[in-house]
Amino acid sequence: MDVLSCLRGHKNDVNDLAFGGSHDTLVSASDESVRMWDLDKARTSRCFLPTSAQDSHVDGDELSVNCVTWGYGAFLDVVAFGVGRSFLLFDSREPQLVSKCPKHSFINEHTDEVNHLCFQFDGSLLAAADDSGDIILYDLRMMNIFKKLKRKHSNICTKVLFRPGKPADLISGGLDGQLLHWNINKGKPLNSYDMIEAEATVSIGCQASCTFFISEQNAKYSRVFQPSRF
């Protein structure tokens, strides 16, 4: 496999990557910043700094930017990223090369670090999963908390994804081996899949088609879940 480009700029580990926005732009999250990239020139085109989250952090340690994602629809040009127990929203169309002022922020709403974010495909909600196993749903039109989905994952919630065409349906996966299918209006899971009982190691991912893959050590239990099959 040939290397097409090498992008340099972050000073530490890169924790997350995402393509999106009006121009299918790459953003990356690291310890101190989120960067937008000009892939043709192999350089940073914008830099977002989590200053407001850092200022509110009481432990004294530098916060790592754990995750980053792009919005959809009315939020197509919004970049959201999780830092500590908070997440920030920036408008990628603003002209500043270095931006420290988010359009909006939700500071310390979580009891543990936010590690994954996902926008609703055809609505105004954003789901944020954290290390406590909880998921908080935010309404980005009203800029408030829509609902908290708590105490269903017994370990870190590592992934959360909305179903395309089913705005009330949410899928979450965690280090407890649970794959949960939620109805967010009811605030409770409709179905759960215990992969530990299948004696398998679970990894959950999503491609552009939003097909969910559950890969397991034992091929007898291998499954591929299409969103329409939940």
Short mmCIF file of all heavy atoms in Angstrom, two decimals, residues 66-112:
data_model
loop_
_atom_site.label_atom_id
_atom_site.label_comp_id
_atom_site.label_asym_id
_atom_site.label_seq_id
_atom_site.Cartn_x
_atom_site.Cartn_y
_atom_site.Cartn_z
N ASN A 66 -10.52 13.77 22.90
CA ASN A 66 -10.66 12.33 22.70
C ASN A 66 -11.36 11.96 21.40
O ASN A 66 -11.12 10.87 20.87
CB ASN A 66 -11.45 11.72 23.87
CG ASN A 66 -10.73 11.88 25.19
OD1 ASN A 66 -9.52 11.71 25.26
ND2 ASN A 66 -11.47 12.21 26.24
N CYS A 67 -12.26 12.82 20.91
CA CYS A 67 -13.08 12.43 19.76
C CYS A 67 -13.52 13.67 19.00
O CYS A 67 -13.60 14.77 19.56
CB CYS A 67 -14.30 11.64 20.21
SG CYS A 67 -15.29 12.45 21.49
N VAL A 68 -13.79 13.48 17.71
CA VAL A 68 -14.23 14.58 16.86
C VAL A 68 -15.17 14.03 15.81
O VAL A 68 -15.05 12.87 15.39
CB VAL A 68 -13.02 15.29 16.20
CG1 VAL A 68 -12.25 14.33 15.27
CG2 VAL A 68 -13.46 16.53 15.43
N THR A 69 -16.15 14.84 15.40
CA THR A 69 -17.08 14.42 14.35
C THR A 69 -17.66 15.64 13.66
O THR A 69 -17.60 16.75 14.17
CB THR A 69 -18.22 13.55 14.95
OG1 THR A 69 -18.97 12.96 13.89
CG2 THR A 69 -19.16 14.38 15.81
N TRP A 70 -18.21 15.41 12.46
CA TRP A 70 -18.91 16.43 11.69
C TRP A 70 -20.41 16.24 11.85
O TRP A 70 -20.89 15.12 12.06
CB TRP A 70 -18.57 16.32 10.20
CG TRP A 70 -17.21 16.80 9.81
CD1 TRP A 70 -16.08 16.04 9.67
CD2 TRP A 70 -16.84 18.13 9.45
NE1 TRP A 70 -15.03 16.83 9.26
CE2 TRP A 70 -15.47 18.12 9.12
CE3 TRP A 70 -17.54 19.35 9.39
CZ2 TRP A 70 -14.78 19.25 8.72
CZ3 TRP A 70 -16.85 20.49 8.99
CH2 TRP A 70 -15.49 20.43 8.66
N GLY A 71 -21.15 17.34 11.68
CA GLY A 71 -22.60 17.27 11.70
C GLY A 71 -23.19 16.89 10.36
O GLY A 71 -22.48 16.68 9.37
N TYR A 72 -24.53 16.82 10.33
CA TYR A 72 -25.29 16.51 9.12
C TYR A 72 -26.37 17.57 8.92
O TYR A 72 -26.75 18.28 9.85
CB TYR A 72 -25.96 15.14 9.22
CG TYR A 72 -25.01 13.98 9.36
CD1 TYR A 72 -24.76 13.43 10.61
CD2 TYR A 72 -24.38 13.43 8.25
CE1 TYR A 72 -23.89 12.35 10.76
CE2 TYR A 72 -23.52 12.36 8.39
CZ TYR A 72 -23.27 11.83 9.63
OH TYR A 72 -22.42 10.77 9.77
N GLY A 73 -26.90 17.66 7.71
CA GLY A 73 -28.06 18.51 7.43
C GLY A 73 -27.81 19.96 7.80
O GLY A 73 -26.86 20.59 7.32
N ALA A 74 -28.64 20.50 8.68
CA ALA A 74 -28.51 21.89 9.11
C ALA A 74 -27.22 22.14 9.88
O ALA A 74 -26.80 23.28 10.05
CB ALA A 74 -29.71 22.28 9.98
N PHE A 75 -26.56 21.06 10.31
CA PHE A 75 -25.32 21.18 11.09
C PHE A 75 -24.12 20.65 10.29
O PHE A 75 -23.10 20.24 10.86
CB PHE A 75 -25.45 20.41 12.40
CG PHE A 75 -26.64 20.84 13.21
CD1 PHE A 75 -27.83 20.13 13.15
CD2 PHE A 75 -26.58 21.96 14.02
CE1 PHE A 75 -28.94 20.53 13.88
CE2 PHE A 75 -27.67 22.37 14.76
CZ PHE A 75 -28.85 21.66 14.69
N LEU A 76 -24.23 20.71 8.97
CA LEU A 76 -23.22 20.11 8.10
C LEU A 76 -21.84 20.69 8.32
O LEU A 76 -20.83 19.98 8.19
CB LEU A 76 -23.64 20.30 6.63
CG LEU A 76 -22.76 19.64 5.57
CD1 LEU A 76 -22.77 18.12 5.72
CD2 LEU A 76 -23.24 20.03 4.17
N ASP A 77 -21.74 21.98 8.63
CA ASP A 77 -20.44 22.63 8.78
C ASP A 77 -20.02 22.79 10.23
O ASP A 77 -19.10 23.55 10.54
CB ASP A 77 -20.47 24.00 8.09
CG ASP A 77 -20.59 23.87 6.58
OD1 ASP A 77 -19.68 23.28 5.96
OD2 ASP A 77 -21.60 24.32 6.02
N VAL A 78 -20.68 22.06 11.12
CA VAL A 78 -20.34 22.10 12.54
C VAL A 78 -19.35 20.98 12.86
O VAL A 78 -19.56 19.83 12.47
CB VAL A 78 -21.60 21.95 13.41
CG1 VAL A 78 -21.23 21.79 14.88
CG2 VAL A 78 -22.51 23.15 13.22
N VAL A 79 -18.28 21.34 13.55
CA VAL A 79 -17.33 20.38 14.07
C VAL A 79 -17.55 20.27 15.57
O VAL A 79 -17.55 21.28 16.29
CB VAL A 79 -15.88 20.80 13.79
CG1 VAL A 79 -14.89 19.83 14.43
CG2 VAL A 79 -15.62 20.90 12.30
N ALA A 80 -17.79 19.05 16.05
CA ALA A 80 -17.98 18.82 17.48
C ALA A 80 -16.84 17.95 18.00
O ALA A 80 -16.44 16.99 17.32
CB ALA A 80 -19.32 18.13 17.75
N PHE A 81 -16.33 18.29 19.16
CA PHE A 81 -15.31 17.41 19.73
C PHE A 81 -15.42 17.34 21.24
O PHE A 81 -15.86 18.29 21.90
CB PHE A 81 -13.90 17.78 19.28
CG PHE A 81 -13.42 19.16 19.59
CD1 PHE A 81 -12.78 19.46 20.78
CD2 PHE A 81 -13.57 20.18 18.66
CE1 PHE A 81 -12.31 20.73 21.05
CE2 PHE A 81 -13.10 21.46 18.91
CZ PHE A 81 -12.47 21.74 20.12
N GLY A 82 -15.07 16.16 21.77
CA GLY A 82 -15.13 15.91 23.19
C GLY A 82 -13.79 16.11 23.85
O GLY A 82 -12.76 15.61 23.36
N VAL A 83 -13.80 16.84 24.96
CA VAL A 83 -12.57 17.10 25.71
C VAL A 83 -12.91 17.02 27.19
O VAL A 83 -13.78 17.75 27.68
CB VAL A 83 -11.96 18.47 25.32
CG1 VAL A 83 -12.97 19.58 25.41
CG2 VAL A 83 -10.73 18.79 26.15
N GLY A 84 -12.26 16.10 27.89
CA GLY A 84 -12.61 15.87 29.28
C GLY A 84 -14.06 15.45 29.42
O GLY A 84 -14.54 14.60 28.68
N ARG A 85 -14.79 16.07 30.34
CA ARG A 85 -16.20 15.76 30.56
C ARG A 85 -17.12 16.71 29.78
O ARG A 85 -18.32 16.79 30.06
CB ARG A 85 -16.51 15.85 32.05
CG ARG A 85 -15.71 14.88 32.92
CD ARG A 85 -16.19 14.86 34.35
NE ARG A 85 -16.06 16.16 35.00
CZ ARG A 85 -14.97 16.58 35.63
NH1 ARG A 85 -13.90 15.78 35.67
NH2 ARG A 85 -14.93 17.76 36.19
N SER A 86 -16.55 17.40 28.81
CA SER A 86 -17.28 18.42 28.05
C SER A 86 -17.21 18.14 26.56
O SER A 86 -16.41 17.32 26.10
CB SER A 86 -16.67 19.81 28.32
OG SER A 86 -16.54 20.06 29.71
N PHE A 87 -18.06 18.84 25.78
CA PHE A 87 -17.85 18.86 24.34
C PHE A 87 -18.18 20.25 23.81
O PHE A 87 -18.97 21.00 24.38
CB PHE A 87 -18.61 17.75 23.61
CG PHE A 87 -20.06 18.02 23.34
CD1 PHE A 87 -20.45 18.66 22.17
CD2 PHE A 87 -21.04 17.62 24.22
CE1 PHE A 87 -21.79 18.90 21.89
CE2 PHE A 87 -22.38 17.85 23.96
CZ PHE A 87 -22.75 18.49 22.79
N LEU A 88 -17.51 20.59 22.70
CA LEU A 88 -17.56 21.92 22.12
C LEU A 88 -18.03 21.85 20.67
O LEU A 88 -17.78 20.85 19.98
CB LEU A 88 -16.18 22.58 22.17
CG LEU A 88 -15.43 22.53 23.50
CD1 LEU A 88 -14.06 23.18 23.36
CD2 LEU A 88 -16.22 23.17 24.62
N LEU A 89 -18.71 22.91 20.21
CA LEU A 89 -19.19 23.01 18.84
C LEU A 89 -18.57 24.23 18.18
O LEU A 89 -18.70 25.35 18.68
CB LEU A 89 -20.72 23.15 18.83
CG LEU A 89 -21.53 22.01 19.46
CD1 LEU A 89 -22.98 22.45 19.64
CD2 LEU A 89 -21.45 20.74 18.63
N PHE A 90 -17.90 24.01 17.05
CA PHE A 90 -17.28 25.09 16.29
C PHE A 90 -17.89 25.13 14.89
O PHE A 90 -18.25 24.10 14.32
CB PHE A 90 -15.77 24.89 16.17
CG PHE A 90 -14.99 25.22 17.41
CD1 PHE A 90 -14.84 24.30 18.42
CD2 PHE A 90 -14.39 26.47 17.54
CE1 PHE A 90 -14.12 24.59 19.57
CE2 PHE A 90 -13.67 26.78 18.67
CZ PHE A 90 -13.53 25.85 19.69
N ASP A 91 -17.97 26.34 14.32
CA ASP A 91 -18.42 26.53 12.95
C ASP A 91 -17.18 26.56 12.05
O ASP A 91 -16.35 27.46 12.15
CB ASP A 91 -19.20 27.84 12.82
CG ASP A 91 -19.88 27.99 11.46
OD1 ASP A 91 -19.43 27.35 10.49
OD2 ASP A 91 -20.85 28.76 11.36
N SER A 92 -17.09 25.58 11.17
CA SER A 92 -15.89 25.45 10.32
C SER A 92 -15.80 26.56 9.27
O SER A 92 -14.75 26.72 8.64
CB SER A 92 -15.88 24.09 9.63
OG SER A 92 -16.99 23.98 8.74
N ARG A 93 -16.86 27.34 9.06
CA ARG A 93 -16.86 28.38 8.03
C ARG A 93 -16.30 29.71 8.54
O ARG A 93 -16.09 30.63 7.75
CB ARG A 93 -18.29 28.61 7.52
CG ARG A 93 -18.90 27.38 6.85
CD ARG A 93 -20.39 27.55 6.66
NE ARG A 93 -21.08 27.64 7.96
CZ ARG A 93 -22.38 27.72 8.11
NH1 ARG A 93 -23.16 27.74 7.03
NH2 ARG A 93 -22.93 27.80 9.31
N GLU A 94 -16.08 29.81 9.84
CA GLU A 94 -15.54 31.06 10.37
C GLU A 94 -14.12 31.29 9.86
O GLU A 94 -13.36 30.34 9.64
CB GLU A 94 -15.56 31.04 11.89
CG GLU A 94 -16.97 31.08 12.46
CD GLU A 94 -16.99 31.20 13.96
OE1 GLU A 94 -15.93 31.06 14.59
OE2 GLU A 94 -18.08 31.44 14.52
N PRO A 95 -13.73 32.54 9.65
CA PRO A 95 -12.48 32.82 8.92
C PRO A 95 -11.20 32.66 9.72
O PRO A 95 -10.11 32.58 9.14
CB PRO A 95 -12.66 34.29 8.50
CG PRO A 95 -13.56 34.87 9.55
CD PRO A 95 -14.51 33.76 9.93
N GLN A 96 -11.27 32.62 11.05
CA GLN A 96 -10.03 32.57 11.83
C GLN A 96 -9.25 31.29 11.56
O GLN A 96 -9.81 30.20 11.49
CB GLN A 96 -10.34 32.64 13.33
CG GLN A 96 -11.07 33.89 13.76
CD GLN A 96 -12.57 33.68 13.80
OE1 GLN A 96 -13.11 32.85 13.07
NE2 GLN A 96 -13.24 34.42 14.67
N LEU A 97 -7.95 31.44 11.44
CA LEU A 97 -7.09 30.26 11.26
C LEU A 97 -6.98 29.47 12.56
O LEU A 97 -6.88 28.24 12.54
CB LEU A 97 -5.72 30.69 10.77
CG LEU A 97 -5.66 31.30 9.37
CD1 LEU A 97 -4.23 31.72 9.03
CD2 LEU A 97 -6.20 30.34 8.33
N VAL A 98 -6.96 30.18 13.68
CA VAL A 98 -6.94 29.55 14.99
C VAL A 98 -8.14 30.05 15.78
O VAL A 98 -8.29 31.25 15.99
CB VAL A 98 -5.65 29.85 15.76
CG1 VAL A 98 -5.69 29.21 17.14
CG2 VAL A 98 -4.43 29.35 14.99
N SER A 99 -9.02 29.15 16.17
CA SER A 99 -10.25 29.53 16.84
C SER A 99 -10.27 28.97 18.26
O SER A 99 -10.07 27.77 18.47
CB SER A 99 -11.47 29.02 16.07
OG SER A 99 -12.66 29.40 16.72
N LYS A 100 -10.50 29.85 19.24
CA LYS A 100 -10.58 29.46 20.64
C LYS A 100 -11.99 29.59 21.20
O LYS A 100 -12.24 29.18 22.33
CB LYS A 100 -9.64 30.31 21.48
CG LYS A 100 -8.17 30.19 21.11
CD LYS A 100 -7.31 31.07 22.01
CE LYS A 100 -5.85 30.97 21.65
NZ LYS A 100 -5.00 31.83 22.52
N CYS A 101 -12.89 30.18 20.41
CA CYS A 101 -14.24 30.48 20.90
C CYS A 101 -15.26 29.61 20.18
O CYS A 101 -15.59 29.87 19.02
CB CYS A 101 -14.55 31.95 20.70
SG CYS A 101 -13.45 33.06 21.58
N PRO A 102 -15.79 28.59 20.84
CA PRO A 102 -16.81 27.75 20.20
C PRO A 102 -18.12 28.49 20.03
O PRO A 102 -18.41 29.46 20.74
CB PRO A 102 -16.95 26.58 21.17
CG PRO A 102 -16.56 27.14 22.49
CD PRO A 102 -15.49 28.15 22.21
N LYS A 103 -18.93 28.01 19.07
CA LYS A 103 -20.28 28.55 18.92
C LYS A 103 -21.13 28.20 20.13
O LYS A 103 -21.98 28.99 20.55
CB LYS A 103 -20.93 27.99 17.65
CG LYS A 103 -20.26 28.39 16.36
CD LYS A 103 -20.45 29.86 16.05
CE LYS A 103 -21.89 30.15 15.64
NZ LYS A 103 -22.06 31.57 15.25
N HIS A 104 -20.88 27.04 20.68
CA HIS A 104 -21.58 26.63 21.89
C HIS A 104 -20.76 25.54 22.57
O HIS A 104 -19.97 24.85 21.93
CB HIS A 104 -22.98 26.11 21.58
CG HIS A 104 -23.89 26.16 22.77
ND1 HIS A 104 -24.60 27.28 23.12
CD2 HIS A 104 -24.19 25.22 23.70
CE1 HIS A 104 -25.31 27.04 24.21
NE2 HIS A 104 -25.08 25.78 24.57
N SER A 105 -20.96 25.41 23.87
CA SER A 105 -20.24 24.38 24.62
C SER A 105 -21.13 23.83 25.72
O SER A 105 -21.99 24.54 26.26
CB SER A 105 -18.95 24.94 25.22
OG SER A 105 -19.22 26.06 26.05
N PHE A 106 -20.95 22.56 26.01
CA PHE A 106 -21.60 21.91 27.13
C PHE A 106 -20.49 21.47 28.07
O PHE A 106 -19.78 20.50 27.80
CB PHE A 106 -22.43 20.72 26.66
CG PHE A 106 -23.64 21.09 25.85
CD1 PHE A 106 -23.55 21.25 24.48
CD2 PHE A 106 -24.86 21.29 26.47
CE1 PHE A 106 -24.66 21.60 23.73
CE2 PHE A 106 -25.99 21.64 25.72
CZ PHE A 106 -25.89 21.79 24.35
N ILE A 107 -20.31 22.20 29.16
CA ILE A 107 -19.15 22.04 30.02
C ILE A 107 -19.50 21.17 31.23
O ILE A 107 -20.45 21.46 31.96
CB ILE A 107 -18.62 23.42 30.49
CG1 ILE A 107 -18.27 24.30 29.29
CG2 ILE A 107 -17.41 23.25 31.41
CD1 ILE A 107 -17.16 23.76 28.41
N ASN A 108 -18.72 20.10 31.40
CA ASN A 108 -18.80 19.22 32.58
C ASN A 108 -20.21 18.67 32.83
O ASN A 108 -20.62 18.50 33.98
CB ASN A 108 -18.31 19.97 33.83
CG ASN A 108 -16.83 20.29 33.76
OD1 ASN A 108 -16.06 19.60 33.10
ND2 ASN A 108 -16.43 21.37 34.42
N GLU A 109 -20.92 18.35 31.75
CA GLU A 109 -22.23 17.72 31.90
C GLU A 109 -22.11 16.23 32.20
O GLU A 109 -23.03 15.62 32.72
CB GLU A 109 -23.06 17.91 30.63
CG GLU A 109 -23.43 19.35 30.31
CD GLU A 109 -24.48 19.92 31.24
OE1 GLU A 109 -24.99 19.16 32.09
OE2 GLU A 109 -24.78 21.12 31.13
N HIS A 110 -20.95 15.66 31.87
CA HIS A 110 -20.72 14.22 32.06
C HIS A 110 -19.96 13.97 33.35
O HIS A 110 -19.20 14.83 33.81
CB HIS A 110 -19.96 13.64 30.87
CG HIS A 110 -20.74 13.64 29.60
ND1 HIS A 110 -21.35 12.52 29.09
CD2 HIS A 110 -21.04 14.65 28.73
CE1 HIS A 110 -21.97 12.82 27.97
NE2 HIS A 110 -21.80 14.11 27.73
N THR A 111 -20.14 12.79 33.91
CA THR A 111 -19.43 12.42 35.13
C THR A 111 -18.06 11.82 34.84
O THR A 111 -17.26 11.64 35.76
CB THR A 111 -20.25 11.42 35.96
OG1 THR A 111 -20.50 10.24 35.16
CG2 THR A 111 -21.58 12.03 36.37
N ASP A 112 -17.80 11.48 33.58
CA ASP A 112 -16.50 10.94 33.18
C ASP A 112 -16.20 11.43 31.76
O ASP A 112 -17.02 12.10 31.14
CB ASP A 112 -16.50 9.42 33.25
CG ASP A 112 -15.13 8.84 33.61
OD1 ASP A 112 -14.11 9.50 33.28
OD2 ASP A 112 -15.08 7.77 34.22
#
